[in-house]
Amino acid sequence: MIKENVEKLLQELPANVQLVAAAKTRTTEEIEQAIEGGIEIVGENYVQEAERVFKIIGKRISWHFIGHLQRNKVKKAVKIFDLIETLDSKDLATEINQLSARENKTMPVLVEINSGREKQKFGVMPEEALKLIKELSELKNIKIMGLMTMGPATGEPEEARPYFKETKKIFDNIAALDLTGLEMSYLSMGMSNSYRVAIEEGANLVRIGSKIFGERQND
Ligand SMILES: *Cc1c(COP(=O)(O)O)cnc(C)c1O
């Protein structure tokens, strides 16, 4: 079933859109089935969980970090991940920069936008994104590659549209500035229920979990 779900999604997605299999709580076997279906990027929310799966699956695929990164997990994260999608503070960026330098690596990152302006959510507020990005662009061992947003949890995919639209606008504004060290390549928006709307609004990375693996047990 998982393999077929991936195949169906890959057929549906436009050629410029990359699919990230959001794999939180899934077993290595389930992730392997998704890879058989054609998954080339796995998204993980927890470093510890990623480490366990990474040991078995390794570098056959790319790894994106899509959860909230705690500073004490950065050291492991820079070893495993090819893209950290959820950078949202100067402090975290400084830590990633330092530990990446030690690994002789430049860490690609996306800046997470709190497009719903929700107090309890992570991400930088839309109006603060540019200031943060300018600060981060001075760090030599991280490379800003675009933006990511979750948007408020909504039942109706259509309700997510304004948040995706606003994030795309920020993306375009920043890209137009042509800042040195920035390469605005990825706009990561949309999950199982909202990816079609997200793609219409300009997403080129979509993070899909339940539509690939089935509903999660505990949410
Ligand atoms: C779980 C998760 C997803 C995927 O959610 P689904 O609704 O299962 O598709 C996407 N992005 C992030 C950051 C997630 O934590």
Side-chain angles (χ1 to χ4, degrees), residues 22-24 26 45 66-67 86 148 150 190-193 207-211 214 216 219:
K24 58 177 172 278
R26 312 302 178 174
N45 292 63
I66 63 173
T86 50
M148 178 273 208
M150 295 272 285
M191 323 205 299
S192 290
N193 77 335
R207 311 175 309 269
I208 297 184
S210 46
K211 208 178 158 77
R216 280 180 298 276
D219 59 34

Side-chain angles (χ1 to χ4, degrees), residues 75 78 95-105 141:
K75 190 172 176 206
V78 300
E95 189 79 5
I96 295 172
N97 186 62
Q98 234 166 48
L99 292 168
S100 300
R102 252 180 246 170
E103 293 284 315
N104 274 322
K105 170 170 182 175
N141 289 78

Side-chain angles (χ1 to χ4, degrees), residues 2-3 6 21 23-37 39 53 57 212-215 217:
I2 292 173
K3 181 167 175 271
V6 171
K24 58 177 172 278
T25 77
R26 312 302 178 174
T27 64
T28 309
E29 290 70 29
E30 289 173 303
I31 298 170
E32 291 278 13
Q33 286 174 40
I35 294 170
E36 266 180 57
I39 282 295
V53 191
I57 296 179
I212 292 175
F213 298 105
E215 293 302 322
Q217 297 305 312

Side-chain angles (χ1 to χ4, degrees), residues 1 15-16 74 77 102 104 141 179 186 198:
M1 235 1 228
N16 69 314
V74 170
R102 252 180 246 170
N104 274 322
N141 289 78
L179 298 169
Y186 299 114

Side-chain angles (χ1 to χ4, degrees), residues 144-155:
I144 298 170
M145 309 270 320
L147 304 181
M148 178 273 208
T149 199
M150 295 272 285
T154 58

Side-chain angles (χ1 to χ4, degrees), residues 40-123:
E40 294 174 346
I41 309 170
V42 168
E44 290 282 359
N45 292 63
Y46 307 102
V47 174
Q48 235 158 338
E49 203 177 318
E51 212 182 7
R52 186 168 47 75
V53 191
F54 180 78
K55 272 192 190 131
I56 298 161
I57 296 179
K59 284 282 174 196
R60 277 187 285 146
I61 50 148
S62 296
W63 297 85
H64 287 195
F65 188 76
I66 63 173
H68 176 63
L69 187 54
Q70 291 169 310
R71 289 184 57 180
N72 63 356
K73 298 281 162 56
V74 170
K75 190 172 176 206
K76 280 180 178 166
V78 300
K79 290 186 183 168
I80 296 175
F81 293 99
D82 302 291
L83 181 67
I84 294 173
E85 294 202 16
T86 50
L87 184 55
D88 66 354
S89 77
K90 181 84 189 282
D91 275 1
L92 180 59
T94 306
E95 189 79 5
I96 295 172
N97 186 62
Q98 234 166 48
L99 292 168
S100 300
R102 252 180 246 170
E103 293 284 315
N104 274 322
K105 170 170 182 175
T106 301
M107 189 72 222
V109 299
L110 305 184
V111 171
E112 181 178 0
I113 307 291
N114 183 351
S115 57
R117 295 182 172 78
E118 296 169 282
K119 284 212 171 62
Q120 74 282 14
K121 285 256 178 86
F122 296 110

